[in-house]
Amino acid sequence: IKGTILNNCNPDAKYASVTGGKFVKRNKHWPDLILTEAASLKRQGFWEYQFKKHGTCCSDLFNQEKYFDLALILKDKFDLLTTFRNKGIIPKSTCTINKIQKTIRTVTGVVPNLSCTPTMEL
């Protein structure tokens, strides 16, 4: 349904940990920025969270592996991090949600659904 927020569609879904080349690829292109590589390999909580929150909403079309493959393809296609840097949106900087939304829209063609936490983190 257009306009529906697709989050946590199946919180009981099971996440299958990855190893070997799949882990290396995922860790290189979508790393857990809090854990070390060794801890990330062991726990994989970051990816489990992403899959359960977002990946389960497209499970009719994509299994877990295909969800992450598509996420990495889209990341490379849109390259938001470079676009953010070019617009002066960098870690620890201050900017408005409107500026971030406009920047994302210039790359993707759609306005993202963004919000801030009570501590003003995106």
Side-chain angles (χ1 to χ4, degrees), residues 52-121:
K52 286 185 175 184
K53 183 169 184 180
H54 303 292
T56 59
C57 295
C58 60
S59 60
D60 290 346
L61 300 172
F62 304 102
N63 63 23
Q64 178 184 309
E65 182 178 354
K66 296 296 180 192
Y67 164 74
F68 283 108
D69 289 347
L70 177 61
L72 295 178
I73 289 167
L74 293 173
K75 175 197 157 290
D76 290 342
K77 178 179 179 180
F78 294 114
D79 195 8
L80 286 173
L81 294 178
T82 298
T83 303
F84 284 152
R85 277 192 295 276
N86 291 341
K87 298 287 186 176
I89 302 170
I90 56 173
K92 309 281 186 200
S93 68
T94 302
C95 61
T96 64
I97 286 180
N98 189 40
K99 181 177 181 178
I100 294 171
Q101 286 177 322
K102 283 182 179 181
T103 301
I104 293 171
R105 189 178 67 211
T106 63
V107 176
T108 65
V110 296
V111 177
N113 180 12
L114 303 175
S115 62
C116 289
T117 66
T119 59
M120 297 308 292
E121 295 177 318

